[in-house]
Amino acid sequence: MVTRWLLAYDAYDPATEGVRESLCTLGNGYFATRGALPETSADGIHYPGTYVAGVYDRLTSVVAGREVENEDIVNVPNWLPLTFRVNGGAWFSPDTSTLVSYRQELDMRRGVLTRLLRVRDDAGRTTRVTQRRIVSMDDPHVAALETTILPEDWSGRLEVRSALDGQVGNMGVARYRALNGRHLEPVAVGEAGDKAGDEVIWLQSRTVSSRIEIAVAARTRVTTGAVAARELQREPGWICHNLLIDVTEGTPVTVEKIAALFTSHDRAIMECGDAARTRVARAPAFDALLERHTLAWDTVWQRCRISIDQEDAQRVLNLHMFHLLQTVSEHTVDLDAGVPARGLHGEAYRGHIFWDELFVLPFLMLQFPEIARALLMYRWRRLPQARWAAQEAGLPGAMYPWQSGSDGREESQRLHLNPQSGRWLPDDSHLQRHVGLAIAYNVWRFYEATGDMEFLAEYGAEMLLEIARFFAGLATYDRTLDRYEIRGVMGPDEYHDRYPGATGPGLDNNAYTNILTVWVLRRALAALSELPEYRRAELIERLRLKRAEITRFEDVSRKMRVVFHNDVISQFEGYEKLAQLDWTGLLDRHGGDIRRLDRVLEADGDSANNYQVSKQADVVMLFYLLPAEELTEILTRLGYPCDHELIRRTIAYYMARTVHGSTLSALVHAWVLARTDGDVAWNFFIETLHADVDDLQHGTTAEGVHLGAMAGTVDMVQRCYAGVEVHDDVLRLSPRLPREITRLRFELRYRGHWGVAVSCTQDLLRVQVRRDGAGPIQVAVPGHDIVTIQPGGSWEIPLINGRAE
Ligand code: BGC
């Protein structure tokens, strides 16, 4: 059950515990801990996992007779373990003890995870437990667990065990379990000395190859009730305090565990172990931590208010914003970290960074530009690596990796397991060169949204130019056609990596890649001309950018090849020659669910490569990223026909062939259909909203949330339903409110204003600019002249059925 700010569960359900752990993850942009129960460890039902942004490690494993190296975001030592027993009986566990009642609640407004339960032990004694947990949004190194234990009908000896567990590994994803996941070496454990008092235990580990030291310290204190004795137990990589407490029937005992987590990557510390011990020793009590934490979340929600009058959708949007802002926050700004596709919520995709930031950054740009900038800086710092990769491939510029981790080398696996056939198969997904285009796209959109010329001049233009250089180099000229082509790549649709029967991977003239390349080349040229003259000259010299290269950018952008068939844009050259799929037969054989058609077909000895079927939006991505006018302009300039009919036909053609095997796909379809087919679009939107909360991709949520789709739904409200775009210093609004929403409201950070309020009903659009020291802004709505709104002023225009025209 979910309410506007609450995700609540009324019973304990081992079968869905993994999903619940992901959805109840608490984090602060520096680290996050899954909502696993403190009395459990990794055992197939439970999976406690804690991940620190940017902390990776690589290990070698042998699979299918081959050595493979993988880099993972590291599951760091678990700070959570805490359980209890009565009079020396069995330790409490939800799986073996008798639960009389059980409730778990995630309060998204305040970032608090609460559990209320009553348990009966073998001797018939009933104990009530109330437990609250936070991962502080105020102090990014601190987490806290408060447990109140009430003996309802007994008196006797209560023993509470509070541990730190560094014996954890990366075991969260079943498919990866055959691989080496032991990333931590024990360094030391101990009880803190004078400085921290005898309530503190600590543990220090080191990652195997990245040699990052990770320290966790915990202070366990009984705040109501007296500790008769405190015992210490330790072994390499594990340490605990056992607190012996004499309790009386009806009198509650409260135990507070305050933890601090630091790594050797952190700044402003002497050494991470020392920092962790000092921080817990100085930490105030749970209530004070909670107060500051709540205040910090208040500030976050003040800055990020998006409301619609659709109760159900609003609840899930809150959950999505909550998880996004727990993965990246103001605490990420000082780190060298990107935005992992599955959040800091699980180990799927090993914490790697993909093109998914394309779905995350546009929202952040308009709400938290400093976070968006920090995420772009993660890419900028990896430019040397991307340049080296391009050079190795015999190409100029920068070739960003499909999957990126610590240093920006290509982290995509070269073999992947099909759990349905048990076979390890070649993985060529690294051929998705379009990831570089996504980075360039974000750089330019960030500049447009924020007007941050300093960023463009210092960092953005360099990335744009190097990426443009790479793609201009990747394009080859065909004299007979007088066209440029891009051969041997993969588009976003991961079900096609080669032609049927081909010996090698790669496809030719993927329309998404080719057209976006043109867009990027033109933006690179635009960036050059917008830079202040001295910086332009500096950059041209620094990058040794030759006149001939600039001419080539221009030439490729006019002569790129786009392939068409049956009056639609071809996903890639030859798509129409692929066989048609027997949809009915397949759907019947697989119980109606063929989202992972690649696995289904491979297990049958066939291949998705043989068919006209797409995992996800591919060509259709173009209509998501580029407004129709922009796309029409690009295609017309290339000498191809383009109008709304072509767009409509192309969407319909691929929709009939797309299985939405990625959560990103439903989102993109919700967006592109919003103008033309409201009902279908709304269903796609609802499907995207429910992707994680209802685990629609069958078990994948337990391995981490789908952050691109989560952020994408929130972004959709702003940029699709309210139609926010920024071009040429003008805030453009082109509302297309779905029937189901009658009121929508949000605030933007824009041109120095901390709150430009946009509200929209089916018949009115209103923009309000607070008086906060920044200057007037320009606003445009289709069919109306550009208006200037002064600080303190507002402007409104009528809408008809949620649209301006
Ligand atoms: C999708 C990719 C996406 C990746 C990470 C895959 O299933 O096909 O487009 O980048 O997941 O979210």
Side-chain angles (χ1 to χ4, degrees), residues 341-342 349 354-356 402 432 492 494 615-616 661-662 664:
R342 304 299 282 275
Y349 291 126
F354 293 66
W355 75 321
D356 300 46
W402 172 238
Q432 292 188 67
E494 297 193 324
K615 176 181 181 186
Q616 64 201 94
S662 157
L664 300 173

Side-chain angles (χ1 to χ4, degrees), residues 730 732 778-781 784-788 795:
V730 179
R732 295 171 194 275
Q778 291 197 303
V779 177
V781 171
H784 297 260
D785 291 338
I786 295 180
V787 294
T788 301
W795 179 64

Side-chain angles (χ1 to χ4, degrees), residues 381-700:
R381 283 185 214 103
R382 282 150 187 82
L383 249 182
Q385 185 78 36
R387 283 194 184 110
W388 184 85
Q391 193 184 317
E392 285 295 286
L395 290 162
M399 178 168 91
Y400 276 95
W402 172 238
Q403 298 190 26
S404 182
S406 59
D407 65 4
R409 75 181 83 170
E410 180 58 78
E411 300 293 356
S412 301
Q413 52 190 357
R414 293 305 166 112
L415 288 177
H416 72 253
L417 178 70
N418 178 0
Q420 254 155 293
S421 67
R423 277 191 285 269
W424 286 91
L425 305 159
D427 188 329
D428 292 302
S429 52
H430 66 278
L431 289 177
Q432 292 188 67
R433 303 287 178 232
H434 64 84
V435 60
L437 301 170
I439 296 167
Y441 180 91
N442 275 336
V443 166
W444 184 257
R445 290 289 189 231
F446 176 79
Y447 167 64
E448 281 184 322
T450 59
D452 188 345
M453 174 49 95
E454 196 205 327
F455 173 79
L456 186 74
E458 287 287 337
Y459 313 104
E462 186 174 3
M463 279 192 274
L464 254 176
L465 286 166
E466 288 291 61
I467 293 170
R469 241 180 177 176
F470 170 75
F471 280 92
L474 188 63
T476 50
Y477 181 64
D478 183 313
R479 202 169 292 281
T480 45
L481 296 172
D482 190 24
R483 288 275 180 197
Y484 286 90
E485 302 189 298
I486 296 182
R487 299 193 167 272
V489 298
M490 272 176 77
D493 163 23
E494 297 193 324
Y495 287 177
H496 289 101
D497 63 357
R498 65 187 65 207
Y499 287 103
T503 47
L507 299 160
D508 301 334
N509 293 314
N510 169 256
Y512 172 74
T513 306
N514 287 17
I515 294 176
L516 211 56
T517 293
V518 171
W519 187 90
V520 166
L521 290 172
R522 294 182 63 195
R523 290 307 162 284
L525 294 171
L528 259 192
S529 67
E530 289 208 14
L531 290 181
E533 206 178 322
Y534 77 93
R535 180 58 184 155
R536 184 184 323 131
E538 243 176 43
L539 208 55
I540 288 178
E541 194 180 317
R542 188 168 128 72
L543 301 181
R544 296 195 176 81
L545 193 66
K546 311 225 170 46
R547 186 74 244 155
E549 285 183 280
I550 297 178
T551 314
R552 187 174 167 97
F553 286 8
E554 184 66 40
D555 204 38
V556 178
S557 80
R558 288 185 183 278
K559 293 187 178 167
M560 180 62 91
R561 179 155 178 226
V562 179
V563 184
F564 295 76
H565 70 267
N566 302 354
D567 286 333
V568 300
I569 303 176
S570 302
Q571 184 174 311
F572 51 80
E573 191 177 348
Y575 187 88
E576 77 287 0
K577 294 193 193 117
L578 305 179
Q580 301 282 356
L581 200 68
D582 165 21
W583 291 95
T584 338
L586 265 172
L587 284 164
D588 287 350
R589 282 204 299 285
H590 296 281
D593 188 358
I594 49 167
R595 276 180 229 244
R596 289 314 305 255
L597 193 67
D598 56 335
R599 293 180 179 167
V600 168
L601 290 171
E602 195 278 328
D604 282 352
D606 202 344
S607 164
N609 275 319
N610 297 333
Y611 300 98
Q612 291 188 23
V613 57
S614 300
K615 176 181 181 186
Q616 64 201 94
D618 191 304
V619 180
V620 174
M621 277 297 301
L622 291 168
F623 315 132
Y624 172 73
L625 294 179
L626 306 177
E629 307 70 50
E630 214 168 336
L631 185 68
T632 308
E633 199 263 329
I634 290 179
L635 283 173
T636 314
R637 192 163 168 274
L638 287 171
Y640 295 113
C642 183
D643 55 20
H644 283 285
E645 270 309 293
L646 172 76
I647 297 179
R648 197 196 51 73
R649 278 195 307 273
T650 305
I651 295 175
Y653 182 87
Y654 289 101
M655 214 166 88
R657 290 163 174 79
T658 302
V659 293
H660 309 296
S662 157
T663 51
L664 300 173
S665 191
L667 172 78
V668 172
H669 282 83
W671 188 296
V672 300
L673 292 169
R675 275 206 195 279
T676 53
D677 201 341
D679 291 342
V680 181
W682 182 254
N683 288 340
F684 274 122
F685 180 62
I686 295 295
E687 182 183 329
T688 318
L689 278 181
H690 287 265
D692 276 317
V693 83
D694 291 337
D695 191 21
L696 294 185
Q697 299 266 348
H698 303 297
T700 58

Side-chain angles (χ1 to χ4, degrees), residues 60 69 91 239 330 339 345 405 501 517 645 665 691 719 753 766:
T60 304
E69 202 182 79
W91 292 105
I239 184 163
E330 60 169 301
V339 56
H345 296 59
T517 293
E645 270 309 293
S665 191
R719 290 195 310 122
H753 289 278
R766 187 177 156 84

